[in-house]
Amino acid sequence: MMKWVTFILGMLFIGVVAFGAPLSLCDYHSPQTSLTDLKLSMSYRYFDNPAMAGVEVNSGKIGLDYSQLFDSPDYGFTLSGNGSIDLDNFAIAGGLGQGSGTFRYYLSEDMPIFGFGGADASYALGQTKPGLSVSVGVGYGRFSDVTPLAKAMNIQKDLLKLGAISDPLSDDTLMAIAEEIGKKVEYPTIKDLVAAIEPIIEQTAGVTLGARALLTVEDDILATGDQASCGWALQAGLGYELIDAYGGAQDVLVTISGDASLAPAPGSQLTLHGTFYGPFDIAAENTLNVTASYDYALKEDVNLIINYQLQRVQPLGRSVSDSQSVTASVAFNIGGANVALQAGLSKGVGATDWSKELTISAGMDLL
């Protein structure tokens, strides 16, 4: 069990690792962060070989992922939920759902120390009932919306490609552009914002930006789908098990959880959430929930998307059960919808091996 805890905590600490680049997206800190994302994915595969009796393949998967992140100087909260359903012959063959919410109240202006209250819920087909717990405690960490710096880096890339500037902009210039984009709501129009950014670029690069270059700056500022965040939070406390997934006694719990959000480069986002809880004899009875997602822009309108879910339950005096699901897809954005080549693995409660799936799927970003 401890190797799982070590692995998850190690992954969550990724958010504090420096990348070695002169300027990374995580160097930008916004005064307030508010990000929301909702994705729907679905796939189905049907294959009937007339030379053989029956239908060889008639299966699919439906998935829904939701996340919301808010952070301000005084308080913040994180909400996440995801679920997947496996279909076989148009009937539900397996499924896994997880949801969590954490409210943080910061206790210090100088350090990101907070008190928190939260709830975690999970359910996998094959369990007696869903698991539900609440917790309170203390933690450390913050999150920041780094989208303005991602847009500044995209502006630099596009101006270099256009030939409007001959050399990359300095780190200070990129940060100055990001700070203006971060104050977007203070400008009456987008053209006023572009007018404020124009001299920052011209004075540093020693150029005069033409109409086409200024239109490129405006397009990059208005571009959607490039939200990015950085940060991490680790927390520990006591909780109470409102519903035991296997019908056991409701216990006072020791809880450890963490979230991490990482944007290695513009167009990429890694998010992680892990929760480990159990009674005071946590080695004998515990639950581990993990979700992870990675979205990477291979090129314009082409993304690599990887999602992972794990639920591991150690009931008292019984054998361990776990459910896992992982999907990897290459998504092509066509008219607002994602058409993807998707590979999936899933392992339900009591299963001894992984179910494997390779499909063409469709999905849509709802928010």
Side-chain angles (χ1 to χ4, degrees), residues 301-322:
D301 294 331
V302 182
N303 284 60
L304 170 66
I305 303 170
I306 300 173
N307 289 298
Y308 176 72
Q309 292 175 264
L310 165 68
Q311 182 194 69
R312 185 184 188 277
V313 180
Q314 170 65 74
L316 182 63
R318 299 172 60 179
S319 59
V320 173
S321 65
D322 64 74

Side-chain angles (χ1 to χ4, degrees), residues 236-297:
L238 295 177
Y240 184 71
E241 194 172 29
L242 298 177
I243 304 175
D244 187 284
Y246 284 83
Q250 295 169 287
D251 298 307
V252 174
L253 304 173
V254 177
T255 68
I256 304 170
S257 63
D259 297 272
S261 187
L262 193 61
S268 65
Q269 183 70 64
L270 172 67
T271 58
L272 299 163
H273 173 73
T275 304
F276 180 67
Y277 61 89
F280 290 108
D281 188 9
I282 198 169
E285 184 180 0
N286 53 71
T287 298
L288 172 67
N289 291 319
V290 177
T291 60
S293 66
Y294 181 64
D295 194 328
Y296 177 73

Side-chain angles (χ1 to χ4, degrees), residues 115-138:
F116 78 90
D120 279 272
S122 62
Y123 179 70
L125 288 181
Q127 289 182 188
T128 306
K129 58 180 72 174
L132 176 62
S133 65
V134 294
S135 59
V136 294
V138 295

Side-chain angles (χ1 to χ4, degrees), residues 9-37:
L9 292 178
M11 292 292 286
L12 292 169
F13 269 117
I14 288 178
V16 299
V17 177
F19 293 100
L23 180 68
S24 76
L25 289 178
C26 295
D27 291 328
Y28 179 84
H29 301 284
S30 61
Q32 180 171 300
T33 296
S34 182
L35 300 172
T36 304
D37 190 39

Side-chain angles (χ1 to χ4, degrees), residues 174-194:
L174 288 172
M175 192 64 74
I177 295 171
E179 288 173 355
E180 293 304 318
I181 296 174
K183 297 185 292 185
K184 179 181 175 182
V185 294
E186 299 179 13
Y187 288 90
T189 68
I190 188 66
K191 293 191 180 299
D192 292 318
L193 173 55
V194 174

